[in-house]
């Protein structure tokens, strides 16, 4: 915690989970910060998300864990997922994966966001602020122009504006690589559509019958098949079952299929279309999918190639704006939270001030780029692996064993060592 306010100002662009987490981290450390959101209020789209041990540790260090616990669901036995064959009528169990420290918690995005909103003072928030352009000509102040005609200035601008980030376009392609482009122009479709549905537990149990219904309603499952898979886990205190069914177009495999021009990334679809895409699945899984009366489907994109730098002078990106990708390891929200913790520690450090701010940000690149990019790239690979296009592609038992320890590099990340690395770098360079 800093003893006095810093001599630099920060603006955060984007008020999702990553942006709010960072705003809270900076505000509680007395760093002058404002947060601008393009929508008329803070709101999250989507459904359930997962928070592993690494992101739970980060929330503890940000002072947000008690808020998180109000709505988080923890599995019994610290289970992450049971892995099963989707097309076998008995849904053959391959293996189970456990979080060694404490369970992979699940939570509804909107509930997580609502707990954080209460911690952000109203006076530092601006709504209806859609970024139009960024300028940092003199190397000292960053000038932001918004589509409503207003102009703001800050010493540091942090893009938390998601995978479609406009702030990402302010990075330098010569240092950050060809993906340093605003919006979605350079994003690559993974080939996967994700059908999402939230099913009331009572409806879910009724469809499957009491014994199977209760078991699957409270036990996280990943059902695997060639070029598709389906996951389920409970949220909202077990009152709701989050179901996501993934279907991948691999007509150009091992290359990624180009996304159809003019199509929306998020689409309403029919229940019959959903059932047709998973017609080979077991009767129990068909019953689950029939519970989704009005499914939506989401095209999963990724920043490819990964950015080689998240900074350019006094503009930086975090979370999905920096390393947005597929959700196949339940780890992307966690990386945004880790970023928020790192930047809160860095910007609050007594040696960091306006005069050396640009240099200090070099350590963000040095430590967070390799960490977050590894999670990003392994998430895309995980989706392929679940669909028998990776380790154990021809051997379900080998695949099951691989999945037991696949996630340790994410969950066992040492936040203390990361902080020590940052402090050593600051002592040596500032």
């Amino acid at each position: 915690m800093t003893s006095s306010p810093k001599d630099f100002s920060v603006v955060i662009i984007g008020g999702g989970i990553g942006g709010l987490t960072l705003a809270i981290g900076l505000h509680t450390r007395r760093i002058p910060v404002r947060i601008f959101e393009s929508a008329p209020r803070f709101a999250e789209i989507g459904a359930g998300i997962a928070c592993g041990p690494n992101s739970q540790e980060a929330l503890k260090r940000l002072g947000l864990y008690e808020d998180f616990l109000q709505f988080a669901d923890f599995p019994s036995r610290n289970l992450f997922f049971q892995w099963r064959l989707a097309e076998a009528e008995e849904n053959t169990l391959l293996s189970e994966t456990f979080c060694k420290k404490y369970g992979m918690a699940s939570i509804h995005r909107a509930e997580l966001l609502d707990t954080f909103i209460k911690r952000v003072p109203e006076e530092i928030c601006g709504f209806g602020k859609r970024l139009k352009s960024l300028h940092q000509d003199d190397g000292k102040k960053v000038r932001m122009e918004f589509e409503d005609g207003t102009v703001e200035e800050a010493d540091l601008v942090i893009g938390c504006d998601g995978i479609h980030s406009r702030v990402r376009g302010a990075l330098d392609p010569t240092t950050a690589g060809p993906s340093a482009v605003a919006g979605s122009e350079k994003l690559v479709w993974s080939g996967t559509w994700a059908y999402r549905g939230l099913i009331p537990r009572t409806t879910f149990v009724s469809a499957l019958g009491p014994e199977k219904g209760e078991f699957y309603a409270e036990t996280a499952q990943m059902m695997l098949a060639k070029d598709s898979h389906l996951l389920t886990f409970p949220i909202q205190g077990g009152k709701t079952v989050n179901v996501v069914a993934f279907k991948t177009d691999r007509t150009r495999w091992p290359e990624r299929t180009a996304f159809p021009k003019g199509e929306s990334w998020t689409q309403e679809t029919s229940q019959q279309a959903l059932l047709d895409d998973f017609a080979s699945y077991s009767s129990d899984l068909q019953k689950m999918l029939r519970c989704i009366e009005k499914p939506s489907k989401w095209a999963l994109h990724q920043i490819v190639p990964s950015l080689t730098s998240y900074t350019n002078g006094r503009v930086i990106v975090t979370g999905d704006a920096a390393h947005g990708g597929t959700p196949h390891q339940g780890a992307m929200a966690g990386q945004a939270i880790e970023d928020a913790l790192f930047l809160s520690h860095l910007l609050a450090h007594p040696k960091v001030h306006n005069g050396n701010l640009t240099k200090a940000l070099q350590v963000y690149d040095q430590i967070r780029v390799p960490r977050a990019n590894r999670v990003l790239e392994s998430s895309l690979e995980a989706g392929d692996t679940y669909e028998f296009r990776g380790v154990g592609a021809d051997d379900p038992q080998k695949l099951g064993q691989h999945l037991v320890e696949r996630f340790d590099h994410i969950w066992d990340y040492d936040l203390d060592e990361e902080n020590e690395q940052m402090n050593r770098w600051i002592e040596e360079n500032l």
Side-chain angles (χ1 to χ4, degrees):
M1 194 78 70
T2 52
S3 57
S4 60
K6 289 287 188 173
D7 65 343
F8 57 84
S9 61
V10 179
V11 159
I12 294 169
I13 303 292
I17 289 171
L20 284 178
T21 305
L22 179 56
I24 295 165
L26 298 182
H27 180 72
T28 56
R29 288 162 177 79
R30 303 187 67 195
I31 297 168
V33 60
R34 291 171 293 162
I35 180 167
F36 293 126
E37 164 60 35
S38 60
R41 61 184 178 86
F42 294 127
E44 272 285 1
I45 59 172
I49 59 170
C51 284
N54 56 304
S55 46
Q56 291 177 50
E57 280 291 330
L59 287 172
K60 284 183 180 179
R61 294 159 196 238
L62 285 161
L64 292 170
Y65 196 59
E66 293 303 315
D67 295 336
F68 170 78
L69 289 178
Q70 293 178 42
F71 296 104
D73 288 284
F74 287 84
S76 62
R77 302 185 297 135
N78 288 358
L79 179 73
F80 176 39
F81 278 110
Q82 289 188 333
W83 307 91
R84 296 178 180 272
L85 296 180
E87 294 172 322
E89 187 58 28
E90 69 277 16
N91 295 127
T92 310
L93 178 66
L94 299 178
S95 62
E96 298 178 309
T97 302
F98 299 92
C99 290
K100 297 182 180 72
K101 190 166 187 179
Y102 33 64
M104 169 71 82
S106 56
I107 192 168
H108 195 288
R109 283 180 181 272
E111 290 180 336
L112 183 59
L113 195 77
D114 286 346
T115 65
F116 292 170
I117 289 170
K118 299 169 187 173
R119 301 284 297 273
V120 181
E122 198 172 315
E123 62 269 19
I124 72 170
C125 303
F127 297 100
K129 296 290 186 182
R130 184 173 295 278
L131 184 69
K132 183 178 180 181
S133 62
L134 282 173
H135 308 278
Q136 51 173 341
D137 298 333
D138 61 3
K140 294 180 181 178
K141 288 280 187 183
V142 184
R143 176 185 169 92
M144 293 153 279
E145 296 179 0
F146 293 92
E147 291 187 355
D148 64 359
T150 58
V151 175
E152 300 283 349
E153 283 191 337
D155 298 301
L156 173 63
V157 172
I158 304 178
C160 300
D161 50 342
I163 196 168
H164 299 283
S165 173
R166 293 194 175 189
V167 179
R168 189 169 59 240
L171 300 183
D172 183 352
T174 63
T175 55
S179 294
V181 176
S184 57
E185 183 184 341
K186 289 292 184 180
L187 299 175
V188 172
W189 186 36
S190 65
T192 302
W193 285 100
Y195 293 86
R196 301 177 187 269
L198 296 176
I199 305 173
R201 184 185 182 118
T202 52
T203 302
F204 186 88
V205 172
S206 177
L208 274 81
E211 186 176 347
K212 284 185 178 178
E214 291 292 346
F215 174 76
Y216 283 133
E218 63 187 31
T219 310
Q221 301 292 323
M222 193 82 80
M223 306 288 187
L224 312 181
K226 189 71 171 284
D227 299 334
S228 67
H229 66 286
L230 180 150
L231 66 82
T232 69
F233 59 81
I235 58 173
Q236 296 182 308
K239 293 180 293 187
T240 304
V241 181
N242 184 55
V243 177
V244 189
F246 302 87
K247 180 72 172 179
T248 305
D249 179 344
R250 297 194 189 273
T251 53
R252 297 186 60 200
W253 181 259
E255 294 182 26
R256 302 289 165 183
T257 302
F259 191 70
K261 284 189 177 180
E263 279 209 39
S264 171
W265 285 28
T266 306
Q267 301 179 15
E268 298 301 315
T269 188
S270 69
Q271 186 187 70
Q272 190 57 53
L274 168 63
L275 294 172
D276 288 347
D277 265 349
F278 299 89
S280 64
Y281 278 26
S282 74
S283 57
D284 284 336
L285 301 190
Q286 294 283 332
K287 291 173 185 175
M288 292 182 194
L289 294 175
R290 287 192 182 94
C291 294
I292 306 173
E293 293 182 0
K294 295 181 179 179
S296 60
K297 65 177 186 177
W298 304 54
L300 304 182
H301 284 66
Q302 175 143 341
I303 297 173
V304 177
S306 303
L307 293 172
T308 50
S309 171
Y310 301 158
T311 70
N312 181 23
R314 290 171 176 262
V315 176
I316 68 175
V317 288
T318 79
D320 282 355
H323 38 76
T326 57
H328 297 307
Q329 297 179 125
M332 305 315 288
Q335 289 309 293
I337 295 167
E338 283 186 16
D339 287 347
L341 177 66
F342 184 91
L343 289 169
S344 296
H345 284 159
L346 173 63
L347 298 177
H349 195 283
K351 282 199 167 187
V352 175
H353 53 79
N354 199 26
N356 65 11
L357 182 58
T358 301
K359 184 173 184 180
L361 292 170
Q362 293 174 11
V363 73
Y364 174 56
D365 264 357
Q366 183 172 319
I367 294 177
R368 290 302 303 167
V369 166
R371 161 61 173 172
N373 281 358
R374 184 184 178 195
V375 175
L376 168 68
E377 290 156 11
S378 62
S379 292
L380 185 64
E381 178 190 89
D384 297 334
T385 300
Y386 302 163
E387 299 184 354
F388 295 96
R389 297 287 187 166
V391 176
D394 301 314
D395 185 345
Q397 298 305 318
K398 183 178 179 182
L399 171 60
Q401 289 307 306
H402 166 72
L403 294 171
V404 170
E405 297 181 349
R406 179 186 172 87
F407 311 92
D408 289 351
H409 76 98
I410 302 172
W411 300 337
D412 295 345
Y413 188 65
D414 192 335
L415 292 169
D416 288 327
E417 173 58 26
E418 179 182 88
N419 197 47
E420 289 171 11
Q421 287 180 32
M422 182 197 74
N423 287 328
R424 284 196 300 270
W425 187 95
I426 289 173
E427 292 302 320
E428 294 168 4
N429 292 278
L430 295 185

